[in-house]
Amino acid sequence: MDGAHDMGGMDGFGPVVPEANEPLFHAAWERRAFALTLAMARPGGWNLDMTRFARENRSPLDYLSKSYYQIWLAGLERLMAERGLVTSDEIAAARPLHPRRDVAALSADDAAPMLARGAPTERPAPAPAHFAIGDRVRARNIHPHTHTRLPRYVRGHVGVVELVHGAHIFPDSHALGAGEQPQWLYTVTFDGRELWGDDCDPSLRISVDAWESYLEPVR
Amino acid sequence: MSEHQHGHSHDHDHDHSELSETELRVRALETILTEKGYVDPAALDILIETYETKVGPRNGARVVAKAWTDPAYRARLLQDATAAIAELGYTGRQGEHIVAVENTPATHNMVVCTLCSCYPWPVLGLPPVWYKSAPYRSRAVKEPRAVLADFGVTLPDDTAIRVWDSTAEIRYLVIPMRPDGTEGFTEDQLADLVTRDSMIGTGVAQPPAENS
């Protein structure tokens, strides 16, 4: 979706402000929101792409007015509400009002192994790769209303395939619960002037990681 | 509720009325999730403890220091970073597929995630606020030299800039250039010079202290 989360190339946000000796969390609630989000993936049964879509699928005003972990919290609440795990009246009441659903919690014994396993996204390739290193490709001009990982600033522009990563879970379908549908994944590199025009630093090159269906061949 | 006084350029909001509202909401949620049996408080403690005490940029610094001192390791790291990093025991969530990119006098690499906050957790820990912020995500792909200036970093004009936007589950680790004057340093001494920002590409490795 063309939401406020897709920030590459937007102007007006001001300078980057690094913070000296930045703490890992800036408030106690951030620490709890972080841990609750990680722990709830097990009973919730959602995947990373669903999590991302739940965070970004909101009005630009809402997205931009929330801090990072407030967005995590809002995404978590949405995912839980969609599955009837926790409802808004329960949050307002600050206590359970409805019966629990029969789902398995993340146990203390499995917390560290869960982090260590991660969730690799590479899958057996369903077909030979369409593109090879060195091929010129154009990022398709697509604007799906649902989740996609093709940023706006590269759409319609021509780049070169630099790396081939094998086939990976396709986030656009995975976010919608429509299955992994793995596709070949490429790193596609663009000349800065192709994306930003002749005023761009001539030395700049920028790459995105793009699934095969995001790309079309350029002869 | 009072108006925001500091805007939203930082994650930490100094507006205490809003902070307490969010704090209360998170407490309510934790109570509900615990009472319903959806989360185990002991599991929450382990998740927090892992990233507060075990996983952080010191891991990445060890990878870089080894690459600086061991040419065979450096070759393996550039060939298959996921496997080479796993050799040192750093694996798992947000590090399932890692690519290492090497800075040289000719090319400086910089990593961003314009869409969210993708970051190689096993080697760098959780990302700082600025990495997740709108200013960094918007500008890193368009005017990286100006972003570097915000960090006090100026590159030679003839150093090209290469920005990696982490839009899939591939995570990038920048191998900064080894500082001059570090001949004979041990891996531990070298690791002390590798900053978090130098492994994102918004900084460079520290020069050795004059008396070391």
Side-chain angles (χ1 to χ4, degrees):
Chain A
M1 62 175 289
D2 290 345
H5 67 289
D6 186 357
M7 291 180 168
M10 286 174 75
D11 287 327
F13 286 121
V16 181
V17 184
E19 181 185 4
N21 303 312
E22 181 180 332
L24 197 60
F25 298 103
H26 287 81
W29 70 263
E30 292 190 345
R31 180 184 282 110
R32 310 312 293 178
F34 166 79
L36 290 172
T37 299
L38 261 57
M40 277 305 294
R42 169 70 54 83
W46 49 74
N47 62 53
L48 179 61
D49 298 303
M50 292 174 183
T51 307
R52 287 180 178 146
F53 190 44
R55 289 176 192 157
E56 73 197 20
N57 185 17
R58 53 194 67 249
S59 77
L61 188 65
D62 186 48
Y63 186 91
L64 293 171
S65 64
K66 282 181 161 58
S67 73
Y68 182 76
Y69 284 113
Q70 283 176 327
I71 293 173
W72 274 44
L73 187 62
L76 176 61
E77 288 182 9
R78 171 175 292 171
L79 290 163
M80 294 190 302
E82 286 171 352
R83 289 156 183 78
L85 293 166
V86 176
T87 51
S88 58
D89 57 336
E90 291 179 305
I91 296 173
R95 62 188 175 85
L97 299 174
H98 309 293
R100 84 180 294 274
R101 289 194 49 205
D102 183 23
V103 290
L106 177 72
S107 70
D109 285 346
D110 202 31
M114 181 268 289
L115 295 178
R117 273 195 307 274
T121 53
E122 190 168 7
R123 296 290 182 270
H130 278 141
F131 304 115
I133 289 172
D135 283 359
R136 276 161 49 84
V137 290
R138 184 184 304 278
R140 291 182 191 274
N141 183 18
I142 55 170
H143 296 268
H145 293 293
T146 49
H147 184 66
T148 187
R149 298 295 287 180
L150 183 66
R152 251 178 294 183
Y153 71 89
V154 301
R155 295 177 194 166
H157 291 290
V158 173
V160 176
V161 172
E162 182 168 353
L163 300 171
V164 182
H165 298 288
H168 286 250
I169 296 172
F170 185 49
D172 304 41
S173 60
H174 205 220
L176 302 178
E180 296 188 342
Q181 303 189 28
Q183 293 186 13
W184 285 91
L185 179 68
Y186 307 91
T187 295
V188 179
T189 305
F190 301 85
D191 188 300
R193 289 168 295 190
E194 164 73 15
L195 300 179
W196 311 116
D198 290 343
D199 292 340
C200 179
D201 180 340
S203 85
L204 177 59
R205 287 179 302 142
I206 304 116
S207 64
V208 301
D209 296 327
W211 277 265
E212 193 159 87
S213 65
Y214 293 170
L215 304 170
E216 55 195 7
V218 175
R219 306 282 170 220
Chain B
M1 182 164 45
S2 66
E3 292 296 312
H4 303 289
Q5 291 170 10
H6 298 271
H8 291 275
S9 58
H10 285 244
D11 237 23
H12 52 297
D13 198 314
H14 297 285
D15 181 333
H16 292 286
S17 62
E18 180 176 292
L19 188 68
S20 62
E21 185 183 308
T22 302
E23 179 96 57
L24 289 170
R25 200 170 180 90
V26 174
R27 283 185 192 173
L29 206 53
E30 186 164 350
T31 300
I32 295 163
L33 294 176
T34 306
E35 289 189 11
K36 283 197 169 189
Y38 293 154
V39 301
D40 174 353
L44 298 181
D45 291 343
I46 290 168
L47 297 175
I48 292 167
E49 189 199 349
T50 300
Y51 291 101
E52 287 200 321
T53 65
K54 293 179 180 161
V55 177
R58 185 72 188 171
N59 295 359
R62 292 201 179 97
V63 171
V64 170
K66 190 166 179 63
W68 282 345
T69 53
D70 180 344
Y73 184 77
R74 173 180 164 276
R76 292 200 298 282
L77 185 64
L78 292 171
Q79 177 68 34
D80 181 350
T82 315
I85 290 168
E87 285 179 33
L88 303 191
Y90 311 133
T91 59
R93 194 180 177 100
Q94 296 296 310
E96 296 90 347
H97 311 283
I98 301 183
V99 169
V101 294
E102 186 176 48
N103 284 347
T104 67
T107 302
H108 180 88
N109 294 279
M110 207 168 128
V111 184
V112 64
C113 173
T114 61
L115 296 174
C116 48
S117 55
C118 296
Y119 195 75
W121 289 10
V123 279
L124 296 187
L126 302 180
V129 165
W130 61 258
Y131 185 84
K132 306 175 286 193
S133 72
Y136 186 70
R137 287 161 58 186
S138 60
R139 293 172 60 218
V141 290
K142 193 179 193 180
E143 45 178 15
R145 269 185 222 271
V147 170
L148 288 170
D150 291 343
F151 287 87
V153 174
T154 307
L155 298 176
D157 288 341
D158 58 357
T159 298
I161 302 202
R162 174 74 177 84
V163 178
W164 304 78
D165 188 355
S166 193
T167 53
E169 305 314 320
I170 311 299
R171 300 287 171 267
Y172 294 92
L173 179 72
V174 175
I175 309 171
M177 286 194 288
R178 179 170 172 165
D180 292 336
T182 57
E183 296 75 15
F185 274 40
T186 65
E187 273 185 40
D188 280 348
Q189 286 175 304
L190 289 169
D192 288 340
L193 307 177
V194 182
T195 65
R196 177 197 65 200
D197 291 4
S198 74
M199 294 181 280
I200 304 171
T202 55
V204 295
Q206 295 290 304
E210 295 200 355
N211 297 325
S212 66

